């Protein structure tokens, strides 16, 4: 694994290399070289099993992280290739020609995150969400709870009480207390 | 041949025709496994309505609702969980996290009702057929915890290292220890109601977890301007009701408070607490006594822009905190840290001024817009048993004050302390240290009317006193002090059977046949203190209301019948520091209202 | 006779191929029929649909449709505390909920550096193998079911119910076990569990013999399964084929062997493989695995200690925070590599979780490819032989 990375380092500019386990390494590479590296690993290093293509939304940084998971079945190790792309007008080079299932992944990412993969077959077709008219739902700013509150109507009559504020109301309504809300987030 | 076999072999299945069917004949009514996760049960007498089940529920299926007949009181919010079975997924996380262990699941899984609203009910309150079902999911045991059950131990000096000196023996949490302890909190907030000052306890504990101690300090000062002091000697009523304490050690709320105060340097207080520019509103308030209530009132008044002047009888500020609590529990520099910050807000303090003799209350009334008096309980009470007028019979408060003033006190080889409260423990442990220094050994016995289980002193005080080789022998009522040739020989006691009668009044019963004699050449009485309000003139006194037992009556804002005079602290509530702080805060709000209405 | 059974469709006349390489399927030409198999069809495994275009009774185009069961679990778990994830994630594949629990819990443990007690490792291994057994008891005879051989399915379902009974007493539930949680498991074996399990395993031993006579020594089954739905060896990498589907073409890949987790290193087993890659080969591999799983459960019960801690201490679950990090945890479900990509960002909730289910590849790109030129009567057989589980596609 170490010598493989040394070999790759001479060809590619790899950053943020992190060994999560002895046989699983995460690394970051620039957007323009990603598919090149994936192809190289498949054709020359025996990473023939494509595990997963995933996306992480780093909304604070305005970036999507695409993660390509490749597995080397002979030597039994994995490389996860991270690449950061802009969140606005997100677009990535398609890799559907490398493995057949990538078409499905790219369709899903298009639908769930709004990332475009020009040239990927059927990338604009509905995958899971037929007739969806909101923003791509896996984006961090999409609030599932808010959506369900706006879309559906809860059964009437539920009301809960926060123990601390209820006790204040019952036992010492006029006395000074700290004005912080008692409960943490949510 | 293979083909023939392949045609014939499936027909072997016909053999099943003559077999007994395996179908369950009556599937409805089949009892589920003993561990099955069925409908909820709740032991509502054990439940305290802490709401932890509601917080952990990933489906928001639980609401906390008030229940008729369950009273909201210290340590019990009066709320009980209501489950919405339209949302419940029977994961039983609520059971596993339940702080009291009251919530369980039964192994009943069939129930039909035509009314959908019935599927939202309060287990244990709305009676169900499975309420008495013994089987069902319970929290797995042992070593299966969702939060730490054991308190992070507070590092202390060993008894041998501490029993000779008055240096602070509790060394304080480190960052890691504090964060680990803070992690145990479940943030229910039950404690806030019990704290006399209603401090934002879960909030400042959260600040520790987030390592945001400046925010922690801000939260402390919202309700308590003496965190260093309270962080050391508070009676921590909050810990008695802590929900985590029901199945494990309660959170060390007091030590965590101390941790926040300790970690913030005093020179940064003003900046952190955003108190650099306070606008003076031109109004003046006089405060008599610089104990917790006086300081607290001064702090909150000063924050609002009042010009406060504190009149203190003794040469230094702090009242009982300085002159009643021994240094090994509360070092003077920590008292100074809290007080100096209050003074830095523009509060003026005049030492060695005795109200009534040096300056009259009437003069204060004239010169100031309002007066707050937190003069405390400083007069020792006597047992009035024969011999108690001997010169070597002392009051604990007097001795403690003298020690703090740096004066030498009389210490003899054999001492008996009468009393079982915190003051009695303080003097016992102080005397033990002095004996150790003077004679190289300890011989001090504390005896109280109350038996060990109902002794009013904090448990750890008793334990630590024993570690320091003092003898604590509770459950005896003093009858007389034996004096021979003008010298004390010892104390006669008789067994105390009960302290309170059935209606809860103080009415001790004794077994006169069971007596004991404690040898001593010095006796200290520590059975309570009285107030000294000589400084209030007859004229003013007539406006103030007293109850039958001579206690001063005040309204919610600690205002007396003389509208300009506010009284708080030990005289009204307590006695302890945290009540004083709460009184002072409330009185400050009352004074603000009073002055604004007048003006 | 042979010609009749090995009949290949004549594609020389139609469908014609357009200049851009796409098939020219013109529905108005009356040469083609569009047919929906599912979502409401008894032959469909779960909630999905296959849209097929047929010419005569052969398929010229196929398209998998999912989205009938999308509940957004990955998104929901992103909005929940770490401890709240495991009761939610189990629904991502109902047939084998324990694998969801395991990979989620293991991801959390991996990222926060928690080691679980040995007893918990054994119990997890047991739960996972029981889940595999349950799944195979349904799938192995289920393959016969697609050829209208319903009897074996009845047998399997009965035995599956018995294993549900065992799950019920071990975990407190029959389907959604919620047994494996971050830090360990939620209970020791109840008294007498091993004896009752052994009784069930004996019944399964008999079932294994019966099902061989009913299904595998059955001329109809053989005729329908042999040579149908062939997966070529080179497809394994091209389509990301895993698990029994890959082993049935002779590629021995098994996460339990290749990347040992839990207690699999201490167990004695060799993943079965077959060569031909057709429905019969896949069925045989699963049949062998069923026998092996029974053996593994016996091994586990014999080797596991009687007592021990079931859970390691964790931070207070109500405000458990995990530093920024990411990991991938895989396990071998009865369908193949079942993995989870887990990303944390230092807060008390995960930033992203992504399930890698085998059906994501098998039922989408692979099935669409395999159905072309297949006979309409084999659609279900091919689909079931891939052991698809639609919930893990759309989560």
């Amino acid at each position: 694994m170490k010598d493989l990375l040394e070999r790759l380092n001479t060809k590619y500019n790899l950053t943020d290399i992190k060994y999560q386990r002895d046989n699983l390494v995460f690394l970051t590479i620039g957007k323009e070289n990603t598919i090149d590296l994936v192809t190289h690993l498949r054709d020359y290093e025996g990473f023939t099993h494509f595990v997963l293509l995933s996306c992480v939304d780093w909304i604070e940084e305005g970036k999507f992280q695409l993660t390509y998971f490749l597995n080397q079945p002979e030597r039994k190790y994995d490389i996860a290739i991270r690449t950061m792309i802009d969140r606005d007008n997100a677009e990535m080079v398609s890799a559907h020609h490398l493995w057949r299932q990538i078409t499905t992944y790219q369709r899903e990412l298009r639908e769930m995150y709004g990332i475009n993969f020009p040239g990927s077959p059927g990338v604009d077709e509905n995958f899971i969400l037929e007739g969806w008219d909101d923003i791509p739902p896996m984006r961090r700013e999409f609030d599932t709870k808010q959506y369900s509150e706006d879309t559906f109507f809860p059964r009437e009559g539920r009301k809960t009480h926060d123990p601390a504020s209820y006790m204040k109301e019952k036992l010492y309504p006029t006395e000074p207390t700290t004005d912080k809300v008692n409960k943490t987030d949510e | 041949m293979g083909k023939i076999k392949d045609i014939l072999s499936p027909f072997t299945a016909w053999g099943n025709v003559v077999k007994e069917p395996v179908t369950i004949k009556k599937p409805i009514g089949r009892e589920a496994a003993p561990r099955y996760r069925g409908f909820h049960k709740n032991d509502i007498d054990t439940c305290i309505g802490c709401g932890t089940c509601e917080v952990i529920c990933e489906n928001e299926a639980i609401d906390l609702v008030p229940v008729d007949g369950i009273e909201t009181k210290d340590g019990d919010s009066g709320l009980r969980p209501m489950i919405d079975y339209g949302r419940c997924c029977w994961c039983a996380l609520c059971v596993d996290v339940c702080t009291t262990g009251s919530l369980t699941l039964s192994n009943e899984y069939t129930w039909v009702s035509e009314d959908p609203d019935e599927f939202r009910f309060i287990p244990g309150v709305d009676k169900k057929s499975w309420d008495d079902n013994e089987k069902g999911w319970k929290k797995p045991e042992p070593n299966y915890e969702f939060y730490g059950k054991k308190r992070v131990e507070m590092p202390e000096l060993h008894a041998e290292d501490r029993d000779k000196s008055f240096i602070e023996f509790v060394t304080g949490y480190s960052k890691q220890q504090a964060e680990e302890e803070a992690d145990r909190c479940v943030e229910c907030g039950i404690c806030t109601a019990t704290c006399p000052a209603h401090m934002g306890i879960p909030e400042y504990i959260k600040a520790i977890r987030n390592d945001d101690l400046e925010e922690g300090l801000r939260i402390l000062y919202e309700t308590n301007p003496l965190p260093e002091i309270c962080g050391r000697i508070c009676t921590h009523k909050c810990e008695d009701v802590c929900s985590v304490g029901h199945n494990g050690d309660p959170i060390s709320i007091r030590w965590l408070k101390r941790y926040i105060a300790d970690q913030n340097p005093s020179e940064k207080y003003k900046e952190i607490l955003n108190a650099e520019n306070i606008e003076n509103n031109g109004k003046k308030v006089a405060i008599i006594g610089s104990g917790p209530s006086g300081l607290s009132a001064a702090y909150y008044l000063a924050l609002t822009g009042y010009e406060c002047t504190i009149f203190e009888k003794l040469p230094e500020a702090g009242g009982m905190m300085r002159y009643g609590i021994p240094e090994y529990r509360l070092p003077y520099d920590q008292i100074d840290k809290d007080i100096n910050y209050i003074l830095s807000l523009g509060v003026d303090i005049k030492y060695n001024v005795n109200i009534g003799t040096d300056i009259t209350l009437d003069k204060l009334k004239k010169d100031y817009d309002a007066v707050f008096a937190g003069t405390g309980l400083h007069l020792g009470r006597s047992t009035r048993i024969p011999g108690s007028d001997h010169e070597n019979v002392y009051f604990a408060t007097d001795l403690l004050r003298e020690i703090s003033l740096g004066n030498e006190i009389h210490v003899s080889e054999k001492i008996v302390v009468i009393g079982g409260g915190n003051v009695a423990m303080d003097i016992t442990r102080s005397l033990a240290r002095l004996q150790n220094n003077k004679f190289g050994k300890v011989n001090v016995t504390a005896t109280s009317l109350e038996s060990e289980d109902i002794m009013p002193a904090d448990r750890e005080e008793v334990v630590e006193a024993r570690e320091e080789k003092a003898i604590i022998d509770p459950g005896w009522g003093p009858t007389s002090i034996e004096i021979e040739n003008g010298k004390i020989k010892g104390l006669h006691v008789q067994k105390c059977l009960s302290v309170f009668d059935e209606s809860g009044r103080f009415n001790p019963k004794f077994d006169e046949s069971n007596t004991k004699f404690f040898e001593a050449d010095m006796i200290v009485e520590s059975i309570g203190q009285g107030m000294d309000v000589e400084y209030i003139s007859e004229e003013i006194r007539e406006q103030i209301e007293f109850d039958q037992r001579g206690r001063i009556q005040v309204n919610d804002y600690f205002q007396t019948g003389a509208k300009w005079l506010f009284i708080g602290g030990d005289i009204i509530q307590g006695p302890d520091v945290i009540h004083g702080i709460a009184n002072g805060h409330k009185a400050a709000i009352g004074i603000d209202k009073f002055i604004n209405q007048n003006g | 006779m042979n010609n009749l059974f090995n009949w290949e469709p004549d594609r020389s006349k139609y469908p014609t191929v357009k200049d851009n390489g796409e098939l020219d399927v013109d529905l108005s030409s009356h040469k083609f029929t569009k047919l929906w198999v599912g979502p409401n069809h008894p032959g469909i495994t779960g909630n999905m649909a296959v849209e097929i275009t047929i010419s005569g009774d052969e398929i010229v185009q196929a398209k998998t449709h999912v989205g009938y069961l999308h509940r957004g679990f990955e998104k929901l778990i992103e909005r929940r505390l770490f401890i709240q994830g495991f009761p939610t994630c189990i629904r991502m594949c109902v047939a084998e909920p324990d694998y969801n629990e395991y990979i989620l819990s293991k991801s959390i443990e991996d990222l926060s550096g928690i080691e679980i007690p040995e007893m918990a490792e054994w119990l997890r291994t047991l739960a996972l193998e029981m889940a595999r057994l349950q799944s195979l008891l349904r799938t192995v005879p289920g393959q016969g079911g697609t050829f209208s051989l319903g009897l074996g399915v009845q047998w399997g379902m009965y035995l599956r119910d018995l294993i549900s009974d065992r799950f019920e007493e071990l975990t407190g539930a029959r389907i959604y076990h919620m047994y494996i949680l971050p830090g360990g498991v939620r209970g020791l074996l109840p008294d007498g569990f091993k004896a009752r399990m052994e009784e069930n395993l004996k019944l399964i031993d008999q079932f294994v013999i019966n099902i061989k006579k009913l299904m595998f020594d059955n001329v109809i089954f053989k005729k329908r399964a042999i040579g149908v739905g062939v997966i070529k060896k080179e497809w394994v990498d091209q389509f990301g084929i895993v698990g029994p589907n890959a082993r049935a073409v002779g590629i021995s890949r098994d996460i339990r062997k290749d990347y040992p987790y839990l207690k699999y290193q201490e167990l004695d087993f060799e993943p079965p493989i077959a060569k031909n890659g057709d429905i019969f080969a896949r069925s045989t591999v699963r049949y062998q695995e069923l026998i092996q799983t029974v053996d593994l459960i016996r091994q586990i019960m014999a080797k596991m200690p009687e007592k021990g801690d079931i859970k390691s201490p964790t931070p207070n679950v109500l405000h458990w925070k995990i530093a920024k990090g990411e990991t991938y945890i895989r396990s071998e479900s009865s369908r193949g590599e079942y993995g989870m990509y887990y990303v944390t960002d230092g807060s008390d909730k995960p930033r992203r979780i992504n399930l890698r289910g085998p059906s994501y590849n098998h039922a989408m790109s692979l099935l669409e490819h395999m159905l072309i030129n297949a006979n309409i009567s084999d659609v279900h057989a091919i689909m079931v032989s891939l052991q698809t589980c639609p919930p893990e596609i759309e989560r």
Side-chain angles (χ1 to χ4, degrees), chain A residues 51-168:
Chain A
V51 181
L52 177 70
L53 168 59
S54 187
C55 173
V56 187
D57 187 356
W58 299 106
I59 186 168
E60 302 85 349
E61 297 154 31
K63 297 278 183 195
F64 280 131
Q65 170 193 329
L66 288 177
T67 316
Y68 294 79
F69 259 94
L70 273 64
N71 174 258
Q72 179 8 320
E74 301 299 316
R75 305 215 177 145
K76 308 193 195 321
Y77 46 51
D78 296 87
I79 285 189
I81 298 159
R82 294 181 287 227
T83 188
M84 299 304 227
I85 60 171
D86 282 336
R87 253 178 131 258
D88 303 329
N89 304 319
E91 195 172 288
M92 182 65 194
V93 188
S94 172
H96 67 275
H97 56 286
L98 297 173
W99 284 278
R100 300 285 289 260
Q101 73 264 35
I102 289 187
T103 313
T104 321
Y105 284 112
Q106 291 179 163
R107 247 174 98 191
E108 184 180 352
L109 292 180
R110 170 78 178 147
E111 185 173 76
M112 291 293 177
Y113 286 92
I115 303 171
N116 197 14
F117 294 89
S120 183
V123 73
D124 289 323
E125 285 175 34
N126 280 327
F127 178 49
I128 288 165
L129 308 170
E130 211 172 280
W132 183 253
D133 56 359
D134 215 315
I135 60 165
M138 282 299 281
R139 286 182 172 231
R140 291 291 283 185
E141 70 260 36
F142 179 77
D143 186 342
T144 39
K145 195 161 178 224
Q146 191 59 46
Y147 178 83
S148 86
E149 272 160 15
D150 296 344
T151 314
F152 309 108
F153 35 90
R155 195 174 176 83
E156 297 290 312
R158 275 190 65 169
K159 186 178 186 323
T160 189
H161 302 75
D162 168 52
S165 32
Y166 180 77
M167 287 173 93
K168 174 174 163 62

Side-chain angles (χ1 to χ4, degrees), chain C residues 130-145:
Chain C
M130 280 166 70
R132 183 191 318 281
L133 180 62
Q134 262 203 335
S135 182
L136 289 172
L137 281 172
R138 203 177 55 123
T139 319
V140 171
Q143 188 65 59

Side-chain angles (χ1 to χ4, degrees), chain B residues 196-229:
Chain B
H198 308 301
M199 296 190 70
I201 296 165
E203 290 79 30
Y204 69 70
I205 293 182
K206 185 179 180 191
I208 295 177
R209 280 201 306 273
N210 295 342
D211 198 20
D212 187 356
L213 299 180
E214 298 190 352
E215 173 67 12
L217 195 72
R218 279 190 287 274
I219 296 168
L220 293 183
Y221 268 86
E222 279 178 29
T223 45
N224 184 343
L226 301 169
E228 285 284 11
I229 295 167

Side-chain angles (χ1 to χ4, degrees), chain B residues 368-438:
Chain B
Y368 294 89
D369 294 299
V371 176
F372 176 81
T375 50
L377 309 171
H378 290 272
L379 291 182
R381 276 210 195 109
S382 172
T383 53
R384 289 169 211 255
I385 51 171
S388 62
D389 49 358
H390 190 274
E391 59 169 358
N392 284 350
V393 177
Y394 299 88
F395 290 127
T397 41
D398 293 343
L399 293 180
L400 287 166
R401 186 185 317 119
E402 290 303 311
I403 295 171
S404 294
L405 285 167
N407 299 337
E408 199 164 315
I409 61 160
H410 175 82
V411 180
S412 58
E413 276 189 65
K414 280 178 277 180
I415 308 175
V416 167
V417 175
I418 306 172
N422 281 331
V423 177
M425 291 305 119
D426 284 343
I427 190 63
T428 305
R429 296 174 65 186
S430 295
L431 287 170
R433 282 167 168 76
L434 293 170
Q435 278 184 329
N436 218 337
N437 282 338
K438 196 168 170 185

